[in-house]
């Protein structure tokens, strides 16, 4: 059976699966693919509605994204793996742990948060979905670029982030926003995670502040917290050396 999702699969060793955020694609993990494919089998999918994967209209809940990941890994013959995600990707990683936690050897949660959406937040996501369908991605991308990355981010990094956002299909982005508005609360789940976990956050992240990361770190029984200085919502791209160092130390701990 051919995989439903577009993906990149590089290297050999312990599988490391990385889930991108919204509204991005698998190229946001390029620095991590380059750094870890020499020691791990690194798999980075495009979620449905993003990158080169097919678009689903309407609403796509986090459980559907998680089931897509499971199907891809089944197709690739991968049973157990380390799973990481950033922002929405982190919430999908939590949903994966809820659905098939026995397959996950370690969990990386970057610039994300576990709480269910508030009523105001649900309405904001629905309104944004409608706006993206009405206007397209560019206006939104222009507005949020320097919240996604710090204002002093390298111009090439800012351009990459902007390019991913504007290339995203508005139908795919809107479906994910509507699904994410209805997500469950994962805070209790985190207290029951039985594998090592790494929580990473950019010091200057306005979307998921350090206080959110500290709360996740406190909830997770076997967790490490890494705060990346001079980074906002995408420390893996803004400060790849620092992000990769934290990830490398975590992976070494799992494999000891």
């Amino acid at each position: 059976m051919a995989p439903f999702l577009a993906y990149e699969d590089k290297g050999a060793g312990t599988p490391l699966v990385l889930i991108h955020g919204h509204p991005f694609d698998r190229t946001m993990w390029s620095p991590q693919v380059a750094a870890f494919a020499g020691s791990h089998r690194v798999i980075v999918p495009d979620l449905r509605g993003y990158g080169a994967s097919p678009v689903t209209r309407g609403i796509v809940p986090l459980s559907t994204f998680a089931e897509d990941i499971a199907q891809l890994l089944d197709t690739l013959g991968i049973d157990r793996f380390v799973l990481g995600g950033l922002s929405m990707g982190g919430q999908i990683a939590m949903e994966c742990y809820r659905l098939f936690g026995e397959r996950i050897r370690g969990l990386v949660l970057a610039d994300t948060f576990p709480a269910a959406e508030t009523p105001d937040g649900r309405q904001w996501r629905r309104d944004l979905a409608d706006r993206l369908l009405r206007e397209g991605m560019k206006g939104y991308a222009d507005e949020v670029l320097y919240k996604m990355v710090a204002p002093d981010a390298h111009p090439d990094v800012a351009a990459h982030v902007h390019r991913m956002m504007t290339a995203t299909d508005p139908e795919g982005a809107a479906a994910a926003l509507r699904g994410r508005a209805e997500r469950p609360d994962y805070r209790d789940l985190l207290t029951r995670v039985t594998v090592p976990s790494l929580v990473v956050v950019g010091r200057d992240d306005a979307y998921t502040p350090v206080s959110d990361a500290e709360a996740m770190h406190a909830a997770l029984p076997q967790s490490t917290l890494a705060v990346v200085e001079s980074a906002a919502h995408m420390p893996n791209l803004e400060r790849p050396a620092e992000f990769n160092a934290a990830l490398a130390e975590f992976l070494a701990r799992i494999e000891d």
Side-chain angles (χ1 to χ4, degrees):
M1 182 174 61
F4 174 78
L5 302 179
Y7 66 97
E8 188 174 0
D9 179 0
K10 285 197 168 179
T14 300
L16 171 63
V17 182
L18 298 173
I19 307 174
H20 67 76
H22 162 91
F24 308 123
D25 59 48
R26 69 182 189 263
T27 68
M28 69 160 275
W29 296 113
S30 295
Q32 286 68 52
V33 174
F36 292 97
S39 56
H40 291 73
R41 183 177 179 183
V42 185
I43 297 149
V44 287
D46 282 332
L47 297 170
R48 72 164 70 201
Y50 298 87
S53 288
V55 173
T56 300
R57 299 183 178 207
I59 179 167
V60 178
L62 295 186
S63 58
T64 298
F65 288 123
E67 288 157 3
D68 289 345
I69 298 293
Q71 179 189 326
L72 173 62
L73 296 174
D74 288 346
T75 305
L76 295 176
I78 294 170
D79 180 37
R80 300 198 73 223
F81 48 90
V82 178
L83 181 65
L86 183 140
S87 193
M88 180 179 78
Q91 293 169 338
I92 294 167
M94 293 182 238
E95 179 67 12
C96 289
Y97 192 88
R98 186 182 75 83
L99 292 176
F100 44 89
E102 71 283 352
R103 299 180 66 176
I104 297 170
R105 293 185 57 182
L107 199 55
V108 181
L109 301 174
D111 298 80
T112 191
F113 59 101
E117 196 58 270
T118 63
D120 286 348
R122 281 197 292 275
Q123 191 58 52
W124 178 84
R125 291 193 190 279
R126 293 177 189 134
D127 291 346
L128 179 56
D130 292 343
R131 177 193 169 187
L132 297 182
L133 292 175
R134 190 172 60 246
E135 300 178 7
M137 299 297 294
K138 185 176 184 304
Y140 169 72
D142 291 348
E143 284 173 22
V144 303
L145 176 60
Y146 287 105
K147 284 181 74 179
M148 296 294 185
V149 299
D152 61 350
H154 193 285
D156 290 348
V157 171
H160 179 189
V161 171
H162 192 267
R163 190 164 59 245
M164 288 190 290
M165 289 194 284
T166 55
T168 296
D169 189 308
E171 292 276 7
L177 281 163
R178 294 193 191 104
R180 198 174 172 198
E182 306 303 326
R183 70 181 181 274
D185 192 321
Y186 296 109
R187 286 176 291 187
D188 182 63
L189 175 74
L190 294 186
T191 67
R192 293 181 279 110
V193 169
T194 59
V195 297
S197 55
L198 171 65
V199 179
V200 188
V201 67
R203 172 70 72 186
D204 304 318
D205 191 343
Y207 288 113
T208 56
V210 172
S211 57
D212 285 356
E214 290 172 338
M216 285 197 298
H217 172 48
L220 286 156
Q222 302 177 56
S223 66
T224 303
L225 174 64
V227 179
V228 180
E229 302 296 336
S230 303
H233 195 53
M234 303 187 72
N236 70 299
L237 275 174
E238 297 173 82
R239 301 289 172 185
E242 292 86 341
F243 184 96
N244 291 350
L247 181 53
E249 186 175 325
F250 173 69
L251 291 171
R253 183 156 61 91
I254 289 177
E255 290 160 16
D256 275 350

